[in-house]
Amino acid sequence: MKNTIFNYGKRVLGAFCFASLYLVSVPVNAQQVTVRASIDSLQLLVGEQTKVHLEVSMDADRKLQLPVIKDTLVRGVEVLDIAKPDTQKLNDDKRWVISQEYTITSFDSALYYLPPLEVMVEDQKYRSESLALKVYSIPVDTLHPDQFFGPKTVVEVPIEWQDIDVMVYSIILMLLFGAACVFLIVRLKNNKPIIRIIKIEPKLPPHQEAMKHIEEIKANKNVQREDPKLYYTELTDVIRTYIMERFGFNAMEMTSSEIIEHLLQVKDKDSLKDLKYLFETADLVKFAKHAPMMNENDMNLVNAVDFINETKLEEDVNAKKEPTEIKVEEKRSKQERIALMCSIGATGVISAVCLYIVVRCIIDLFF
């Protein structure tokens, strides 16, 4: 009898321990992974949208695989967007709660059964609860059909300047640079020499050149009154230049007396009296600070003019005149050919870019 009671007690104790272990282990395993699903709205009109929320609670050290959903949850319920999963960390990063949203819609009125969402945690499947969705069609008021309008006809939108301005500018640039490219190609192919036209001013005879400068000095009355030294310097320089070109000796580097001595070889002493007086007056003004009278300045100017007129050489009517312009032909150098080819490449590239822009504008505008 004692053995029977003892065996029975052992069995009860064993059953109690097993039950205790079972009760302790089941809640722990059940709390390790929890999968929940919810929907924002159970009723929709055709074409409206709602969101399905999936929430997975699990240990942080476990591997999760969310459900792979393509275009539909079930036939008739379309998935428009799948949001990026969001992770919330709990219990000092020991537990994770992963959430994901699915945006759905439907275009057929019906009552839809949404099956449970299935996730994989460490190669073990866990499912959420199933959901339901009721989709209603839009009610139509058949008693007032005039409130509905049929499809509209196609309306032609007018083309405005801002729609074609880039295309027009690109066409203009393409034509300009294209023409420049063709012109440069022809020039490079023909290899014609560059012709330069140089204009040459005809050289005046010595007496005309001297009289021209004397007229300029005569016109400047202020110099005669305010700066006699400058006046006589300019006047004697004109005479020295004329003598050098007319008689062929360097009068610019000679003193006044040396010039007169050289002129005595071709002229008599009486004819050089006025010129000698001009040089003497000029030397007094420049070196002795002599202040001549206005009539004395005018007289010396007249003396210079008389000397030029008395000693000038008359022009030969039959003499051949120098050309006023000449043509110089220069062959194109290697550097110029390289520059020409670079210009052709640059203009060609710009033309091609403009053509591409024109084609893109036409495609965007009409297609």
Side-chain angles (χ1 to χ4, degrees), residues 13 32 35 43 52 74 81 104 109 112 117-118 172 185 201 206 209 228 235 239 266 271 274 283 303-304 327 338 362:
L13 181 61
Q32 285 183 351
V35 182
Q43 298 179 354
V52 174
V74 293
D81 181 59
I104 62 173
S109 58
Y112 294 99
L117 297 175
E118 185 177 271
I172 295 173
I185 291 174
E201 292 290 337
E209 187 73 24
L235 184 59
I239 297 299
V266 293
S271 61
D274 294 336
D283 291 340
N303 292 337
K327 292 183 179 180
I338 294 174
I362 293 174

Side-chain angles (χ1 to χ4, degrees), residues 16-218:
F16 177 77
C17 292
F18 178 79
S20 299
L21 292 173
Y22 178 78
L23 292 175
V24 171
S25 61
V26 169
V28 172
N29 292 331
Q31 289 184 0
Q32 285 183 351
V33 178
T34 304
V35 182
R36 296 187 179 88
S38 61
I39 188 170
D40 286 347
S41 178
L42 298 176
Q43 298 179 354
L44 296 177
L45 290 176
V46 171
E48 287 186 339
Q49 300 177 7
T50 188
K51 290 185 179 181
V52 174
H53 301 272
L54 174 64
E55 184 178 281
V56 180
S57 177
M58 54 178 282
D59 291 338
D61 57 350
R62 307 190 71 181
K63 184 178 179 181
L64 170 68
Q65 182 179 349
L66 293 171
V68 179
I69 300 174
K70 295 183 179 179
D71 297 332
T72 58
L73 284 179
V74 293
R75 185 177 180 181
V77 179
E78 299 181 8
V79 177
L80 301 179
D81 181 59
I82 300 177
K84 186 177 180 180
D86 179 55
T87 302
Q88 183 181 3
K89 300 178 181 180
L90 304 175
N91 298 336
D92 296 330
D93 202 13
K94 294 180 180 179
R95 295 282 295 176
W96 285 358
V97 176
I98 296 94
S99 304
Q100 191 170 39
E101 293 182 352
Y102 304 89
T103 304
I104 62 173
T105 188
S106 178
F107 297 96
D108 294 323
S109 58
L111 176 61
Y112 294 99
Y113 167 76
L114 304 183
L117 297 175
E118 185 177 271
V119 301
M120 296 284 292
V121 179
E122 299 290 348
D123 298 329
Q124 186 174 354
K125 296 180 181 180
Y126 295 88
R127 293 185 178 183
S128 69
E129 60 269 28
S130 60
L131 301 173
L133 177 65
K134 176 64 176 177
V135 180
Y136 296 92
S137 61
I138 300 175
V140 179
D141 189 358
T142 57
L143 298 178
H144 302 87
D146 55 337
Q147 63 179 323
F148 299 97
F149 302 94
K152 299 292 184 180
T153 59
V154 177
V155 178
E156 293 292 338
V157 179
I159 298 177
E160 299 181 355
W161 170 248
Q162 56 264 28
D163 298 328
I164 61 172
D165 55 350
V166 175
M167 183 177 66
V168 173
Y169 294 140
S170 299
I171 291 174
I172 295 173
L173 291 176
M174 180 185 66
L175 294 176
L176 291 176
F177 283 98
C181 184
V182 172
F183 173 76
L184 294 174
I185 291 174
V186 173
R187 288 296 302 272
L188 181 64
K189 184 178 180 181
N190 292 340
N191 196 22
K192 292 182 178 180
I194 301 173
I195 299 176
R196 302 181 186 275
I197 298 177
I198 303 175
K199 291 186 178 181
I200 299 177
E201 292 290 337
K203 187 176 180 180
L204 296 175
H207 66 279
Q208 292 184 7
E209 187 73 24
M211 293 299 295
K212 177 182 176 183
H213 290 297
I214 287 177
E215 289 297 328
E216 294 174 357
I217 295 173
K218 183 180 178 181

Side-chain angles (χ1 to χ4, degrees), residues 252-270:
M252 298 298 295
E253 302 295 333
M254 296 180 179
T255 63
S256 302
S257 58
E258 291 175 344
I259 293 173
I260 297 299
E261 289 179 3
H262 276 75
L263 290 176
L264 286 174
Q265 299 176 8
V266 293
K267 298 287 290 181
D268 57 5
K269 187 175 181 179
D270 292 336

